[in-house]
Amino acid sequence: MNSRRQNVIDTAHKLFIEKGYQATSIQDILDGSGISKGTFYNYFPSKGELFIAIFRSYHKNIRQAREELLIGQDLADIEIFIKQLELHMMVNKQSKLLILIEEVRVSNDDELKQFINRIQLLGIRWVYSRFLDIFGETKKPYLLDSAILFLGMMTHLNHFNYKAKTISSPEIKVIRYCMNRIVHIVNEVAESGEQILDPELIDTWIPNFRCNLHTSHNDLLQSTLALKKATNKALPCSEDRTKAIELIDFIHEEITQSSKPRQFLIESLLNTLKTQYATIAQQYVENFEENINSCLSQFEQEI
């Protein structure tokens, strides 16, 4: 079922690029993917939900790839941040996601417009959190402004460079150019004390953000990725691997995406992981559990 659903997503993505989102009908998608209308609606309530599924699929892959670049690295290293951005921009370029976003912006679909706005806020949220890693807590009051300025510079420089086609390998050059500018801007506004937007606003735009700023969050991230790799090696049955990975992802998301993680649920799922998938290297499971408990402890202190 998952492979058939993914086939529908891939087919629709290709059609949206070739014909445009508005011009692609559900019948086009049915014909291209070889499924019935009933099967389609079993997977997706509407064409808009299918569009959202395309973005979620790519965003999940981008997020995981960005996170893997952080393993064992100094979060304050600007070069790692530049590599993360380059990866993100290359995926957007190859998948033509930004072209689809622009088409949806001028559509009459309010649900999709809200989704696009959320994507934009998630981008601001991520850059802000990485700026916090790079510039530190002392510069925090100025980092939401700086994140928005940085993304604005990147967006417009990429747009007009694409039209002019003035430089080769534009992604990395634009990223470095904007990063060099923003370093000076952050230092200048911190010295002058100028601030437009209070970073606390981001919690009202996207609740649950604060949990991603815990000092133990990066440790949890690294232990999650390490455990997933160990799981892939330890479980020969693909069905068992898939279930175990889904369980690990669910626990991780309950910690990082919930404003108040359900501790009883996390403990139950951890117990399932340890008993049903005992062949996974114990040290990875124990490290994962230790970092989860550390995050839960910080939640209790904050609340």
Side-chain angles (χ1 to χ4, degrees), residues 15-33:
L15 287 169
F16 290 163
I17 292 171
E18 291 175 352
K19 300 181 65 173
Y21 172 76
Q22 300 289 356
T24 300
S25 67
I26 289 179
Q27 190 60 50
D28 291 331
I29 299 168
L30 299 181
D31 294 341
S33 56

Side-chain angles (χ1 to χ4, degrees), residues 15 17 19 64 68 75 81 84 106 132 135 144 155 157 172 187 191 215 227 252 276:
L15 287 169
I17 292 171
K19 300 181 65 173
Q64 181 170 342
E68 288 176 352
L75 296 184
F81 177 58
Q84 289 179 305
V106 297
L132 199 59
F135 297 106
L144 179 55
T155 298
L157 277 173
I172 189 66
N187 289 331
E191 185 176 345
T215 56
L227 178 57
H252 182 266
Q276 292 190 13

Side-chain angles (χ1 to χ4, degrees), residues 77-85 126 130-131 179:
D77 187 346
I78 288 178
E79 288 301 314
I80 300 299
F81 177 58
I82 289 174
K83 287 180 181 179
Q84 289 179 305
L85 285 171
W126 179 73
R130 292 294 286 115
F131 277 9
M179 198 64 214

